[in-house]
Amino acid sequence: MQPEPETLTAEFNTLAHVARDPALELRKKAKRKALTVFLAGKLIELDTDNVKAYRNMYYCNSALEQDGQELKEATYCKNRLCAVCGAIKTANLINGYMPELKKMSDPIFLTLTIKAVEGRFLKTAINRMNATIRQIQKHLTKYHKVKLFGLRKLECNYNPKKNTYNPHYHFIIDGEAKAELLRKMWLQYNPTCDPRAQKAIPADMDTMIELFKYATKIIAKDGLIHALQIDVIYTALRHKRTIQSMGIKKQVDEDEREKVIYDHLAPDNTNWIWNQEATDWINQETGECLTGFTPDKELKLLFEQLRE
Ligand SMILES: [Zn+2]
């Protein structure tokens, strides 16, 4: 697993009542919002069948209503490409599944891949992967009396060097022998895939948290955003579950949002509207900025690339 570029690292929000570092949290949110608006703008320009979803994403969290020391968002787009919603989803998944994952005596992080595919074959390839993994799981229960406990996550990245796509699964599975069996069967069902890419390693906190992050990397290995290819992945993953639990239950609803108190804000009843030029939410009455976020060099460079 390659490390994600800093700009996309999903520092997950705390769901505690009082934000731990409210000023920092809001700056991080501004960064995610700025990135999402740029990406959405580029995706809207493509004018594909997904344009409506991208427009929703563009306006996600654009208006914040301050009620005392709370900030209420009118809209959450819940788009899987939205970094603002993604961070919330990641935090909720961690809260929901981590207690179960922590109970595992022998947690294994397993990666299963297929041979890279061209864009036009991606949707079919993912459908086939899903059918195969379901078949294997059924087979394991029926003939091996093996029930898998853990999580399965579907991800897909774009490889700009080869202009191909790499759909793959990450699993957290309890038990090395079970993970090995699954790996072996995957290779039987997918004889063309590289055995070395099917890796099983002991899972730790980091790998578990990694599992709850984005289903696709917005910034490719070359440090660029490839909107056209992101749209291909989005289309292929649309209406598909990317996180699937196996024999474990989520403890809280992932949509549950606890209210956050930003105790550094002066209590007020006012509205903040996103301004992409300022990369911040602006107070409609006073003109002041909410977070004080300023893009770093890396983010500015990325925005330059997107303007072209
Ligand atoms: Zn959103």
Short mmCIF file of all heavy atoms in Angstrom, two decimals, residues 125-148:
data_model
loop_
_atom_site.label_atom_id
_atom_site.label_comp_id
_atom_site.label_asym_id
_atom_site.label_seq_id
_atom_site.Cartn_x
_atom_site.Cartn_y
_atom_site.Cartn_z
N ALA A 125 -15.01 -5.96 -14.61
CA ALA A 125 -14.00 -6.61 -13.77
C ALA A 125 -14.40 -6.57 -12.30
O ALA A 125 -14.26 -7.57 -11.57
CB ALA A 125 -12.65 -5.93 -13.96
N ILE A 126 -14.93 -5.44 -11.87
CA ILE A 126 -15.35 -5.31 -10.46
C ILE A 126 -16.56 -6.20 -10.18
O ILE A 126 -16.61 -6.88 -9.15
CB ILE A 126 -15.64 -3.83 -10.11
CG1 ILE A 126 -14.31 -3.06 -10.03
CG2 ILE A 126 -16.39 -3.72 -8.78
CD1 ILE A 126 -14.45 -1.57 -9.82
N ASN A 127 -17.50 -6.25 -11.11
CA ASN A 127 -18.65 -7.15 -10.93
C ASN A 127 -18.19 -8.60 -10.80
O ASN A 127 -18.69 -9.36 -9.99
CB ASN A 127 -19.62 -7.01 -12.11
CG ASN A 127 -20.40 -5.71 -12.04
OD1 ASN A 127 -20.50 -5.09 -10.99
ND2 ASN A 127 -20.94 -5.29 -13.17
N ARG A 128 -17.22 -8.97 -11.63
CA ARG A 128 -16.71 -10.33 -11.60
C ARG A 128 -16.00 -10.62 -10.27
O ARG A 128 -16.16 -11.68 -9.68
CB ARG A 128 -15.77 -10.57 -12.77
CG ARG A 128 -15.60 -12.06 -13.07
CD ARG A 128 -14.65 -12.32 -14.23
NE ARG A 128 -15.10 -11.69 -15.47
CZ ARG A 128 -14.30 -11.00 -16.29
NH1 ARG A 128 -13.02 -10.87 -16.00
NH2 ARG A 128 -14.77 -10.48 -17.39
N MET A 129 -15.20 -9.63 -9.80
CA MET A 129 -14.52 -9.79 -8.51
C MET A 129 -15.52 -10.04 -7.38
O MET A 129 -15.34 -10.92 -6.55
CB MET A 129 -13.75 -8.51 -8.16
CG MET A 129 -12.43 -8.36 -8.86
SD MET A 129 -11.73 -6.72 -8.47
CE MET A 129 -11.14 -6.99 -6.80
N ASN A 130 -16.57 -9.22 -7.37
CA ASN A 130 -17.59 -9.35 -6.32
C ASN A 130 -18.28 -10.72 -6.38
O ASN A 130 -18.51 -11.34 -5.34
CB ASN A 130 -18.63 -8.23 -6.44
CG ASN A 130 -18.13 -6.92 -5.84
OD1 ASN A 130 -17.19 -6.90 -5.05
ND2 ASN A 130 -18.76 -5.82 -6.22
N ALA A 131 -18.57 -11.18 -7.60
CA ALA A 131 -19.20 -12.49 -7.75
C ALA A 131 -18.25 -13.59 -7.27
O ALA A 131 -18.65 -14.52 -6.58
CB ALA A 131 -19.59 -12.71 -9.21
N THR A 132 -16.97 -13.46 -7.64
CA THR A 132 -15.97 -14.46 -7.26
C THR A 132 -15.81 -14.55 -5.75
O THR A 132 -15.81 -15.64 -5.18
CB THR A 132 -14.60 -14.11 -7.89
OG1 THR A 132 -14.75 -14.02 -9.30
CG2 THR A 132 -13.56 -15.17 -7.56
N ILE A 133 -15.71 -13.37 -5.11
CA ILE A 133 -15.45 -13.41 -3.66
C ILE A 133 -16.65 -13.97 -2.90
O ILE A 133 -16.49 -14.70 -1.92
CB ILE A 133 -15.01 -12.01 -3.12
CG1 ILE A 133 -14.25 -12.17 -1.80
CG2 ILE A 133 -16.17 -11.05 -2.96
CD1 ILE A 133 -12.90 -12.80 -1.93
N ARG A 134 -17.84 -13.68 -3.42
CA ARG A 134 -19.04 -14.26 -2.77
C ARG A 134 -19.05 -15.77 -2.92
O ARG A 134 -19.35 -16.51 -1.98
CB ARG A 134 -20.31 -13.66 -3.40
CG ARG A 134 -20.71 -12.32 -2.79
CD ARG A 134 -22.16 -11.97 -3.14
NE ARG A 134 -22.37 -11.86 -4.57
CZ ARG A 134 -22.25 -10.70 -5.25
NH1 ARG A 134 -21.93 -9.60 -4.62
NH2 ARG A 134 -22.46 -10.67 -6.55
N GLN A 135 -18.68 -16.22 -4.11
CA GLN A 135 -18.63 -17.66 -4.39
C GLN A 135 -17.60 -18.35 -3.49
O GLN A 135 -17.86 -19.42 -2.94
CB GLN A 135 -18.23 -17.84 -5.85
CG GLN A 135 -18.88 -19.01 -6.54
CD GLN A 135 -18.57 -18.98 -8.04
OE1 GLN A 135 -18.47 -17.91 -8.65
NE2 GLN A 135 -18.39 -20.15 -8.62
N ILE A 136 -16.45 -17.72 -3.34
CA ILE A 136 -15.39 -18.30 -2.50
C ILE A 136 -15.86 -18.38 -1.05
O ILE A 136 -15.67 -19.41 -0.38
CB ILE A 136 -14.08 -17.47 -2.60
CG1 ILE A 136 -13.46 -17.63 -4.00
CG2 ILE A 136 -13.09 -17.88 -1.53
CD1 ILE A 136 -12.25 -16.75 -4.25
N GLN A 137 -16.48 -17.32 -0.58
CA GLN A 137 -16.95 -17.32 0.81
C GLN A 137 -17.99 -18.42 1.05
O GLN A 137 -17.98 -19.10 2.07
CB GLN A 137 -17.51 -15.95 1.19
CG GLN A 137 -16.39 -14.97 1.56
CD GLN A 137 -16.88 -13.57 1.89
OE1 GLN A 137 -16.54 -12.62 1.22
NE2 GLN A 137 -17.70 -13.45 2.91
N LYS A 138 -18.88 -18.60 0.07
CA LYS A 138 -19.89 -19.67 0.14
C LYS A 138 -19.20 -21.03 0.19
O LYS A 138 -19.56 -21.90 0.99
CB LYS A 138 -20.80 -19.60 -1.08
CG LYS A 138 -22.22 -19.21 -0.74
CD LYS A 138 -23.10 -19.38 -1.96
CE LYS A 138 -24.09 -18.21 -2.06
NZ LYS A 138 -24.64 -18.09 -3.43
N HIS A 139 -18.23 -21.20 -0.70
CA HIS A 139 -17.48 -22.45 -0.78
C HIS A 139 -16.79 -22.76 0.56
O HIS A 139 -16.82 -23.89 1.03
CB HIS A 139 -16.45 -22.35 -1.91
CG HIS A 139 -15.65 -23.60 -2.12
ND1 HIS A 139 -15.95 -24.53 -3.09
CD2 HIS A 139 -14.56 -24.08 -1.45
CE1 HIS A 139 -15.08 -25.53 -3.01
NE2 HIS A 139 -14.22 -25.27 -2.03
N LEU A 140 -16.19 -21.73 1.14
CA LEU A 140 -15.48 -21.92 2.42
C LEU A 140 -16.44 -22.38 3.52
O LEU A 140 -16.12 -23.27 4.31
CB LEU A 140 -14.80 -20.62 2.85
CG LEU A 140 -13.55 -20.20 2.07
CD1 LEU A 140 -13.02 -18.87 2.58
CD2 LEU A 140 -12.45 -21.26 2.18
N THR A 141 -17.63 -21.79 3.55
CA THR A 141 -18.61 -22.16 4.57
C THR A 141 -19.09 -23.59 4.35
O THR A 141 -19.16 -24.38 5.28
CB THR A 141 -19.83 -21.20 4.51
OG1 THR A 141 -19.35 -19.88 4.29
CG2 THR A 141 -20.64 -21.24 5.77
N LYS A 142 -19.39 -23.90 3.09
CA LYS A 142 -20.01 -25.18 2.78
C LYS A 142 -19.04 -26.36 2.87
O LYS A 142 -19.34 -27.36 3.51
CB LYS A 142 -20.61 -25.11 1.36
CG LYS A 142 -21.68 -26.14 1.13
CD LYS A 142 -22.43 -25.87 -0.17
CE LYS A 142 -23.33 -27.04 -0.52
NZ LYS A 142 -23.86 -26.94 -1.89
N TYR A 143 -17.87 -26.21 2.27
CA TYR A 143 -16.97 -27.37 2.17
C TYR A 143 -15.84 -27.36 3.19
O TYR A 143 -15.26 -28.39 3.48
CB TYR A 143 -16.39 -27.48 0.75
CG TYR A 143 -17.46 -27.68 -0.28
CD1 TYR A 143 -17.87 -26.64 -1.10
CD2 TYR A 143 -18.09 -28.92 -0.42
CE1 TYR A 143 -18.86 -26.81 -2.05
CE2 TYR A 143 -19.10 -29.10 -1.35
CZ TYR A 143 -19.48 -28.04 -2.16
OH TYR A 143 -20.48 -28.22 -3.08
N HIS A 144 -15.48 -26.20 3.67
CA HIS A 144 -14.37 -26.14 4.64
C HIS A 144 -14.87 -25.83 6.05
O HIS A 144 -14.08 -25.78 6.98
CB HIS A 144 -13.34 -25.09 4.22
CG HIS A 144 -12.66 -25.40 2.91
ND1 HIS A 144 -11.43 -26.00 2.84
CD2 HIS A 144 -13.08 -25.22 1.63
CE1 HIS A 144 -11.09 -26.15 1.56
NE2 HIS A 144 -12.08 -25.68 0.80
N LYS A 145 -16.17 -25.59 6.16
CA LYS A 145 -16.77 -25.21 7.45
C LYS A 145 -16.02 -24.03 8.07
O LYS A 145 -15.82 -23.93 9.27
CB LYS A 145 -16.78 -26.39 8.44
CG LYS A 145 -17.43 -27.65 7.90
CD LYS A 145 -18.95 -27.51 7.79
CE LYS A 145 -19.57 -28.73 7.12
NZ LYS A 145 -20.59 -28.41 6.11
N VAL A 146 -15.59 -23.13 7.19
CA VAL A 146 -14.84 -21.95 7.65
C VAL A 146 -15.72 -20.71 7.51
O VAL A 146 -16.23 -20.43 6.43
CB VAL A 146 -13.54 -21.76 6.82
CG1 VAL A 146 -12.96 -20.35 7.02
CG2 VAL A 146 -12.50 -22.81 7.21
N LYS A 147 -15.92 -20.04 8.62
CA LYS A 147 -16.67 -18.79 8.56
C LYS A 147 -15.68 -17.65 8.80
O LYS A 147 -14.87 -17.69 9.73
CB LYS A 147 -17.76 -18.79 9.64
CG LYS A 147 -18.92 -17.90 9.24
CD LYS A 147 -20.14 -18.15 10.11
CE LYS A 147 -21.16 -17.02 10.05
NZ LYS A 147 -21.08 -16.03 9.01
N LEU A 148 -15.74 -16.67 7.90
CA LEU A 148 -14.79 -15.56 8.02
C LEU A 148 -15.35 -14.47 8.92
O LEU A 148 -16.53 -14.12 8.84
CB LEU A 148 -14.50 -14.97 6.64
CG LEU A 148 -13.88 -15.92 5.61
CD1 LEU A 148 -13.74 -15.22 4.26
CD2 LEU A 148 -12.51 -16.42 6.08
#
